[in-house]
Amino acid sequence: EYKQCAKAASSANRMLGMIKRNFVFTDKEVVLPLFKTLVRPHLDYCIQAWRPHLVKDIERLERVQRRATKMVDGLSGMKYEDRLKELNLTKFETRMLRADLIEVFKIFNGLDGLDWERFFVLRGGNTRGHSLKLYKERFSIDVGKYLFANRICEVWNELSEEVVSATSLNSFKTRLDEHLRTKGGL
């Protein structure tokens, strides 16, 4: 993961450098679309497959976004969280979590063409909350702890029935964003 994080951060930082060298006007309307289309794809590419779990790796990727938000005219002196609010962005870690939850929804609803039973085990019995609660396996090594199907269990199980039972991907995203907003994630 370390090499993947370093590679992603390096290529994203190169794109930020190119933007800084080639654009004179760095107001919100210029930098934000450039960041979203040229830089963020380097950070987000296949993130569900190689998602970092070490704080140093997550921070390395978050630093790219910190740097990008400082490039916007008038925001460099603000705290990072305030810059994010001003630009309507979320922390990188929240974006990874959101992407994971969307992937679980897609798998459960057959939108990815994958058999959900190959990834997840449903908790049996009478459970509180929604009907798609996942069983989290216990592992003693990091490889198992941070597998996609295991790392997402607790967060998925915290979702409400209303969120999980969405009838379309767009309605799921809308309900998920509202859920994350109320929990302080967005």
Side-chain angles (χ1 to χ4, degrees), residues 10 12 38 54 61 73-74 127 158 177:
S10 175
L38 298 175
L54 297 176
L61 298 172
D73 283 341
T127 59
E158 289 176 4
D177 289 346

Side-chain angles (χ1 to χ4, degrees), residues 7 10 29 31 33 37 61-62 68 71 85 87 109 136:
K7 184 178 178 182
S10 175
E29 288 74 27
V31 174
T37 56
L61 298 172
E62 191 79 51
M71 287 174 52
K85 282 182 185 176
L87 298 171
N109 290 281
K136 183 174 182 175

Side-chain angles (χ1 to χ4, degrees), residues 131-185:
S131 57
L132 296 175
K133 294 251 182 178
L134 302 175
Y135 174 75
K136 183 174 182 175
E137 291 187 54
R138 296 182 190 271
F139 290 95
S140 58
I141 57 174
D142 283 352
V143 172
K145 288 179 190 176
Y146 299 108
L147 285 173
F148 171 72
N150 214 41
R151 72 171 180 249
I152 199 64
C153 289
E154 290 176 14
V155 181
W156 177 263
N157 290 344
E158 289 176 4
L159 297 176
S160 68
E161 180 70 36
E162 179 189 6
V163 177
V164 172
S165 65
T167 55
S168 71
L169 183 58
N170 285 335
S171 66
F172 176 77
K173 288 178 181 179
T174 302
R175 293 173 187 184
L176 176 61
D177 289 346
E178 184 57 38
H179 172 80
L180 291 172
R181 205 173 289 110
T182 60
K183 295 285 184 186

Side-chain angles (χ1 to χ4, degrees), residues 1-12 39-54 56-62 64 92 96 99-100 103 143 146-149 151:
E1 288 177 23
Y2 174 76
K3 288 181 182 180
Q4 183 67 32
C5 289
K7 184 178 178 182
S10 175
S11 61
V39 178
R40 206 158 63 182
H42 291 277
L43 301 174
D44 290 349
Y45 181 70
C46 291
I47 196 71
Q48 288 80 21
W50 64 269
R51 181 180 178 187
H53 62 273
L54 297 176
K56 67 178 184 173
D57 292 336
I58 294 169
E59 189 56 36
R60 170 179 267 179
L61 298 172
E62 191 79 51
V64 176
F92 182 72
M96 288 190 306
D100 280 351
E103 192 61 35
V143 172
Y146 299 108
L147 285 173
F148 171 72
R151 72 171 180 249

Side-chain angles (χ1 to χ4, degrees), residues 12-30:
N13 273 319
R14 279 195 305 276
M15 292 306 293
L16 273 179
M18 185 271 306
I19 292 169
K20 194 170 189 168
R21 285 189 306 275
N22 293 299
F23 289 88
V24 176
F25 298 105
T26 56
D27 60 347
K28 180 178 172 178
E29 288 74 27
V30 173

